[in-house]
Every structure is written in C-alpha cells, then in structure tokens.
Amino acid sequence: MVSSHSAHVLVASNRGPVSYEVGEDGSLNAKRGGGGLVSGLSAIGPDAGALWVCSALSDGDREAVRRGVGEDGVRMLAIPADVHADAYNGIANSVLWFVHHLLYQTPLEPAFDAEFRRQWASYETYNRAFAQALAEEAAEGAAVLVQDYHLCLVPGMLRELRPDLRIAHFSHTPWAPVDYFTMLPDDIRTQLLEGMLGADRVAFLTWRWATAFQRCADELDPERYLSMWPSGAPRAIQHRQGKELLRTTYIGVHGLGADADFLHARSHEADVEERMTALREEIGEGRRTIVRVDRTELSKNIVRGLLAYRHLLDTRPEWRERVVHVAFAYPSRQDLAVYRDYTAEVQRLAEEINSQYGTPGWSPVVLHVKDDFARSLAAYRLADVALVNPIRDGMNLVAKEMPVVSDEGCALVLSREAGAWEELRRDALVVNPYDVVETADALHEALTMPPDERAERTKRLATAATALPPAQWFLDQLNALNELTGR
Ligand code: F6P
C-alpha cells in the first residue's frame, strides 16, 4: 500500500465502525455500528482528516478488503484469519480479558505453556500490523488514539516507527490488581506495560482502573520508570535514564456517559413501541419487572443474577405471580467454548426457574437471546428495577442508560465492581456481585421502593449518567493529548 501520511486524527481498534456480509447473490452488505468513538469522530467533522484503522473480523470483511470496497475514513486491515484468531480469541479474550476481569478458576488456569507462547507471537504480529498501518497513514505530528487490550503493544511499536506522533491509549476494561496481573509471565507483563507506556497518555474509564495500572507499572524497573502521584496535577510515569528525564506518560480518566439525546429519540420510535406491546404481553398485566440487558459475557454475572432472583422467589413468596425477570442475554464471543458453556448455563437456569415456579399464566423469567436493540430499549422503558451486577466491568453503560430511558423511573441494583459505581453509587442499591442473598434483598428493596423516592433517585441517576456524553468524552481525550507539552 502506498503511504498517504495525510491523516491528522487516527483511531485504532480491533472492531471497526463497519462490517460486511456477503449476500446470496455475492454482493457485499455493509452494517454500521454505533458507540462512543463513532459519535466522537462525527463530532470532529468530515474535514478533520480522521482515519479509523481496524481489523477485518469476518470472511465478509476480508472479502471487502480484497475487492477494495470500503468506507471513506476507514482502513480495514486484512490480517490473516489464523493470526487474528490467535491474537483475538487466544490472547486478548482468553488471557488479557480474563486477567483484567479476574475470571480465572486458578486451581487449573492459567497455564502459560508453549501454545500460549505461539499465540503471543501472533498477538505481536497483529499489533505490528496496526502500528505499521498507522505509521503509513499519519501526517506529521498527528494524534493517534489506540483502543483497548487488543492493542497494548501498538503505542510502543508506533513510537519506534514515528516518534513525531502524539499517541494515546484508552482502556475500556478494568485494569487488574497487581497480585492478579503478576500471574502473567514476567517478560509478557513487561512487554504489555512498556507497550502502553510508549503512549504520551494512557487513560481509563475510572480512577480505580487508572490507579491499578499505575501500581502495576510501579513493579517495573524503578530506575527507569518513576511514578508521580501529585495532588492537583495529572498523575504520570516518568521515563528516566539515571538522573535524566527522557519523557513522560500522563495518566487520565474519562468516564464515558450515556447519550441522552440519542436514547430519548431512538426509544420513542415505532419499532420500540411495537416491541413494548409484545413484551407487555409476555410479562402479563400489572406485574413488576426486573430488567437486565447484557452481552452473554462471563464478567456480567448473569447466572448469579438468576440465582438471586430464585432466592427472592424462594424466600419472599409474596412476589410469586407479581414480578417477572426480563433478561436479555445476547451471544458474544461464541468461538470460545467457555462462552458457549456459560450461555447454555444461563438458558438452563432460566428454564429451571420457570419450571420450578411458573404457572399457566406466569413465566417468572422472560429470557431473550437474539440481539435486538429496539427490544432492549423497550425493556429499558418498561423497567421497574434495573439489575446490573457484573463481577467486574470497565464502566457498564446499561446502568447509565436505563435510568435515562425508563418511563416511570427505575430503581438501580448495581454491583460495586462496575466502573459506573463510581458515579452512580449514591442513588443505586449497591451489591457485592458474589453475594446472592444480598442481591436478592436489594431486589426486594428495589421492588418496594416508594414511587416518589424511585422517581427522585432516577432523576439524579440520569443526570450523573449523562454528565459526559460520548462526543464530549472523545473530544476531551483528543484535546488532552493535543495540549500535552514537554513530551
Ligand atoms: O466493553 C469493553 C470492550 O473492551 C469494548 O471496548 C469493546 O468494544 C468490547 O469490549 C470488545 O468486544 P468484542 O470482543 O465483541 O469486540
């Protein structure tokens, strides 16, 4: 590919804003996604010289790259499918995601064996492909915003290739505590941290994750990396050689919020109204609703949510026939056996609760697994109680979206391990996600919350949830990067 060296703002992420499917007649159908980065890039406008570098994820995407089909402002990398699978499924989703979300069953795993080393080499190759593409595309002094755990090595690789660039890395996940992170082999964690510290700025969704990262970096060579924790000034990690300061990596926090304007408008469109009618039928007249909407992701804790609901029905029989748990659990990462097993367990447990307590006119759990955004918004609008109980979560936007969208206001049962807890805890009913009995009690408290209190809390939750809308979240990061001096 001929290098263009013309982009002034570059975003790099594994999953891009568009994906392709090959239709039966051989034509390519493009599907566009949403989210914070899409809003952010549209906010800087079409003339900002923005380019999004992403990976081809499917055969359709690879076919689009092969045919030269693409969108303006997007460069999709046709990384070989086997290299991508090792990097994405093998390392990013089976190791790094597990480390940051504390998901290992440690008596048996992890075991960093020869297969891990083979996959790690693919992770390096995949990161290098991004670094090279960014180096080819970036104009002199451009700002590059690298996303997430898939691309931890990119900042360091890119700095080697293009020291003139301003580089940021943003983690959308939590960051692991030191004792968990140090499970990784020494050379691997050094590579990960040094890769990220190739950036001028590394940023997170909450201070908790930023602090965890800095503590892990403190375990690196203290002669070379000196942590700064000044009060009133940005935290940073200085890169040193003896007494000489070589450069600084700054640490930032940007708590992504919900997009109120979009949600209000979208949730009142006709397809959402239709889904509300259908859902009301399924729920039944006059019943209360406990709503959850998640990707079926190991960290979302859907199974313990169902166990808590069963405990509620067990111990407080007055709720039988009077409440329905509306649980949307949309398949995710189904290439991984552990995700498929988890999805099956969610379905099995929902069926078990329905056969144990259900009556001819009442299904205690209404479970849907087919992804349908309009139906998710319909459930948000109908929610009396929002259940968000992840084991650990970078932010959890569902916790922020439900109070914004719910028609009558909803009581929020929220895990203290969700990033959103930092901003929403005052008006949520906070639970330990491992404590099923406490979660059941919180569900009861939420269901019996007086309407005035529920409305007041929902109003405050919605205000906190929308404090940093997606476009501003992105612009803040870009401005913070461009304003850095003394790199
Ligand atoms: O939600 C956290 C996150 O890291 C997002 O930033 C990212 O889009 C997603 O997880 C990755 O999920 P997937 O494997 O489906 O692309």
Side-chain angles (χ1 to χ4, degrees), residues 169-241:
H169 186 280
F170 193 89
S171 290
H172 297 252
T173 60
W175 192 270
V178 175
D179 288 351
Y180 212 84
F181 193 66
T182 49
M183 276 198 287
L184 290 167
D186 287 359
D187 61 319
I188 300 295
R189 66 191 159 91
T190 301
Q191 243 184 292
L192 286 167
L193 292 167
E194 289 190 336
M196 285 174 66
L197 290 171
D200 298 295
R201 198 165 182 274
V202 293
F204 298 85
L205 287 162
T206 71
W207 281 111
R208 183 177 176 197
W209 315 140
T211 300
F213 172 82
Q214 210 172 343
R215 297 236 182 270
C216 289
D218 284 350
E219 298 291 304
L220 286 166
D221 181 356
E223 304 275 302
R224 291 180 56 210
Y225 301 100
L226 184 64
S227 236
M228 313 298 287
W229 306 79
S231 60
R235 291 194 204 161
I237 295 171
Q238 293 185 341
H239 300 237
R240 301 195 150 253
Q241 196 165 44

Side-chain angles (χ1 to χ4, degrees), residues 14-15 88 93 97 148-150 172-173 295 332-333:
N14 174 61
R15 193 176 290 279
Y88 173 70
N93 289 341
W97 183 273
D148 248 338
Y149 57 103
H150 314 91
H172 297 252
T173 60
R295 300 194 298 162
S332 166
R333 301 181 188 163

